[in-house]
Amino acid sequence: MLRAIIFDFDGVIADTEPHHYQAFAEVLDGRLTMPTWETYLSEYLGLNDPTFLRRFFEASGDQPDERELASLIRRKDEVYQRNLVDGIPLLPGVEAFVRSMRGRYPLAICSGARRVEIETILRHAGLRDAFEHIVSADEVTRSKPDPAGFLKAFELLRAGRDGLTPSACLAIEDSAHGIVAAKAAGMRVIQVCPHSIGEFAVPADRKVKGVTEVSEMLLAEIMT
């Protein structure tokens, strides 16, 4: 039986992935050529910023020192924050879906984004109060596909809820790394695909184009 829902943020709640990609491209210009959008989606989606940069530099046969890495992350954050000033839209159907689920289940977010990014967009959309807990890159140091973020979100949700188990929690993810993390935490997973992404080695329990396709019947089928 479904008892809680944990959402990824980038690419699930808000259409932020193109903005992250563009911000990285701007700060890496002259240093490294960004992977194609398709490669970014298939190989790097779901990683937090430090992990993405380390893996991308390694794949390029290069390695930044810690000072350069910190500088790149700081500059990328500045570029991305400029985009937040005008607001970043939620993905279609997300607002209605979150509001409908809020009245039935406790909700949390587990994301590799920074807390200020998540909070800013949720407040702009009027949805901050819908989520009991936010586990961001600021709360856990290990990036997806490590399950640390999902396990922390679960522990926060479990407080005061007798008998809540990971198997009673549903994760809503868009990336391969996120699906692996949620599965490792013992949760069922719905994959939403706002962008064209190929099949993953570790599949979700269900794959949908967006949350508008998630019905009570689908939830019941997944959780049985």
Side-chain angles (χ1 to χ4, degrees), residues 19-132:
H19 296 280
H20 284 292
Y21 181 83
Q22 291 162 11
F24 277 125
E26 182 171 331
V27 301
L28 287 171
D29 185 34
R31 182 65 172 86
L32 288 177
T33 301
M34 277 289 284
T36 65
W37 174 240
E38 291 74 20
T39 299
Y40 178 80
L41 291 177
S42 64
E43 297 183 17
Y44 299 107
L45 196 67
L47 301 177
N48 63 23
D49 290 357
T51 304
F52 162 70
L53 286 171
R54 288 190 178 97
R55 291 194 182 184
F56 181 51
F57 269 84
E58 182 179 354
S60 303
D62 200 345
Q63 185 175 359
D65 59 33
E66 289 303 309
R67 180 178 296 182
E68 181 182 15
L69 184 67
S71 175
L72 288 170
I73 292 171
R74 183 178 62 255
R75 288 162 52 203
K76 182 265 179 179
D77 186 55
E78 291 170 353
V79 173
Y80 184 77
Q81 290 294 327
R82 291 204 303 266
N83 292 333
L84 294 185
V85 173
D86 298 324
I88 293 177
L90 302 185
L91 285 158
V94 165
E95 181 177 359
F97 180 75
V98 168
R99 293 190 187 282
S100 67
M101 293 297 105
R102 178 190 186 185
R104 304 173 194 177
Y105 312 104
L107 308 181
I109 287 173
C110 172
S111 172
R114 295 188 59 218
R115 175 174 283 270
V116 66
E117 299 168 359
I118 298 168
E119 299 262 9
T120 298
I121 294 172
L122 289 179
R123 287 199 174 94
H124 189 270
L127 287 180
R128 175 60 188 90
D129 292 342
F131 297 93
E132 287 189 18

Side-chain angles (χ1 to χ4, degrees), residues 7 12 91-95 97-98 172 192 208-215:
F7 292 74
V12 170
L91 285 158
V94 165
E95 181 177 359
F97 180 75
V98 168
I172 302 181
V192 297
V208 298
K209 184 68 176 176
V211 294
T212 55
E213 298 179 23
V214 180
S215 63

